[in-house]
Amino acid sequence: MVNRREIFIGAGAVAAAATMSPLALSKPAGGLASDIAILEQAFTAMHPGLLRYLTPEELKRGFARLSQAWAADPPRQEAYLALSRFLSTLRCGHTYANFYNQSDAIRDKLFAGRNRLPFHFRWIGDEMVVTGNAPQDLPRGSVIHAVNGEPASAILSSLMPYTRADGTNDVKRVAQLAVRGIDRYEAFDIFYGLTRRNAGQAFRLSTSRGPRVVEPIDLAQRQASMVVPDKGDGPQWQLTYEAGAIARLIMQGWAVYNTKWDWKAWLDGVMDEVASRGTQTLIVDLRGNEGGLDCGDEIIARLIDEPLAKNAYERRVRFRSAPRDLEPYLDTWDPSFRDLGRDATDIGGGYLRLPEARGSARAPILPRGPRFRGRLIVLVDATNSSATFQFASLVQSRKLGVLVGSPTGGNRRGINGGAFFFLRLPASGIEVDLPLIATFPSTPQPDAGVIPDVIVSETVENVADGVDAVLQAALELSRT
């Protein structure tokens, strides 16, 4: 199953192109190590962002260390950790051993243990703050200072090297290591469980309310406590009215390609409604939304009176056709990806520039339908790292609205995605997501996400009191 929160990216972001040098493939060493030769061949031939942040020498050493780690045929847990740590060094938010795309056997072996903390939490700075679904003696707002004698800040630091993000945008890595109850698989659960190996053992906690001992939960219990249940083929988003003429559109995810729900018709109805009833402010709440389809284009189309060009990014690939000897290991949802670069233009340095066809994701947004003439406020956070990152960037750069919240994920130097292979390594059985399209800017950009126009720093007290400081700031802004 494809991760419902990730796959497509819209176009966008930024980064100067690096020159790619051919890398010699390691010879298969038998056992698990033979997978690393396949991984190296596939990534060297097709991954468009390998050298955004690494030199060829650093990359070669990374492959060598990974091959050495797998040479002794380690247990799958150790192999998965070593692979995840290597993939994290690429600094690509779409390159990882996707929890959702593993086989049932791998998921059962690696992800199902009874080794999870029995509560939801978020990180405020380096403090672990309980947000819900906890034992009664750990109410919302409790701070966990240490787990089994290990400071929470040390736990966070130790897990960062296994997580995915674009560039050095660590706010996304921290956000991934929260347990929010909105994903079937939580990165913190997986990497903490694999690195600590404390399955079935009670957790000794040092908290702001004194010492506590809590029993661990397993994957089924975690999934049963999700705060955003699977909506199936029903509406995935909600429209509410906060106060009179202030509307709030809550969009938890844009990965709506696997649902039969007609999201465009639903969103058309929403935009018709807010345009016709004299809504003064539309708050689009994208917090917790990594991306998916370019759903934000449908909102922008109701704000403009002339075609709006998207931010200037060039789309590049590394191959014309996928290497034939890799075909047994590559899955995807669109067979055309196997010849993705067939009509691309060679621009040197190992890159091919994709043509921009009419009607593509890079085409200008055309105005349509009744226009919304009120004020647009977009609530953003560190999870916005793909299509939502690009929407936030476009809203800000074109002055279509105001961004409120915390800095986004993604990266203004450019991100990789748009099309994917699911690389299935035969000896280990582990799958790796391999993005195929890289976006590069026309001018140099910082190694960072989008900084909101209004930054809101939430506090432990906000969590304890149930105060949504970001929404509160947006409501105050809408009244000015």
Side-chain angles (χ1 to χ4, degrees), residues 140-292:
R140 182 183 177 93
S142 300
V143 178
I144 309 300
H145 298 307
V147 180
N148 295 335
E150 184 178 11
S153 58
I155 294 172
L156 175 61
S157 179
S158 73
L159 299 184
M160 293 278 279
Y162 297 102
T163 57
R164 58 189 172 88
D166 296 292
T168 58
N169 194 355
D170 283 348
V171 297
K172 173 62 185 287
R173 293 182 171 89
V174 173
Q176 282 184 71
L177 292 171
V179 174
R180 297 173 294 164
I182 64 175
D183 285 314
R184 291 190 298 113
Y185 297 96
E186 301 276 3
F188 179 91
D189 288 343
I190 289 168
F191 293 122
Y192 184 78
L194 291 176
T195 55
R196 269 57 179 185
R197 306 291 178 86
N198 59 341
Q201 300 176 19
F203 293 108
R204 294 177 292 103
L205 306 179
S206 172
T207 84
S208 57
R209 298 177 180 273
R212 297 286 188 272
V213 177
V214 297
E215 293 298 319
I217 62 173
D218 61 18
L219 175 61
Q221 290 170 295
R222 177 70 85 207
Q223 292 180 348
S225 72
M226 289 176 63
V227 298
V228 181
D230 186 353
K231 298 184 177 71
D233 292 323
Q236 309 291 304
W237 309 322
Q238 302 88 43
L239 179 69
T240 65
Y241 286 89
E242 298 297 329
I246 302 174
R248 179 185 174 202
L249 176 59
I250 305 169
M251 309 179 86
Q252 294 99 335
W254 287 355
V256 288
Y257 31 79
N258 281 334
T259 176
K260 296 177 182 178
W261 176 51
D262 190 345
W263 66 269
K264 285 191 176 182
W266 188 93
L267 191 53
D268 269 345
V270 164
M271 296 309 295
D272 286 347
E273 178 178 331
V274 297
S276 63
R277 64 179 291 167
T279 303
Q280 294 176 2
T281 301
L282 173 62
I283 299 173
V284 177
D285 192 341
L286 297 182
R287 292 173 295 174
N289 184 338
E290 286 194 284

Side-chain angles (χ1 to χ4, degrees), residues 112-161:
R114 185 167 168 262
N115 53 14
R116 291 159 166 80
L117 292 168
F119 49 81
H120 298 157
F121 66 88
R122 58 174 296 185
W123 297 97
I124 296 181
D126 59 3
E127 291 190 307
M128 178 187 285
V129 183
V130 175
T131 57
N133 196 53
Q136 286 187 348
D137 58 353
L138 279 179
R140 182 183 177 93
S142 300
V143 178
I144 309 300
H145 298 307
V147 180
N148 295 335
E150 184 178 11
S153 58
I155 294 172
L156 175 61
S157 179
S158 73
L159 299 184
M160 293 278 279

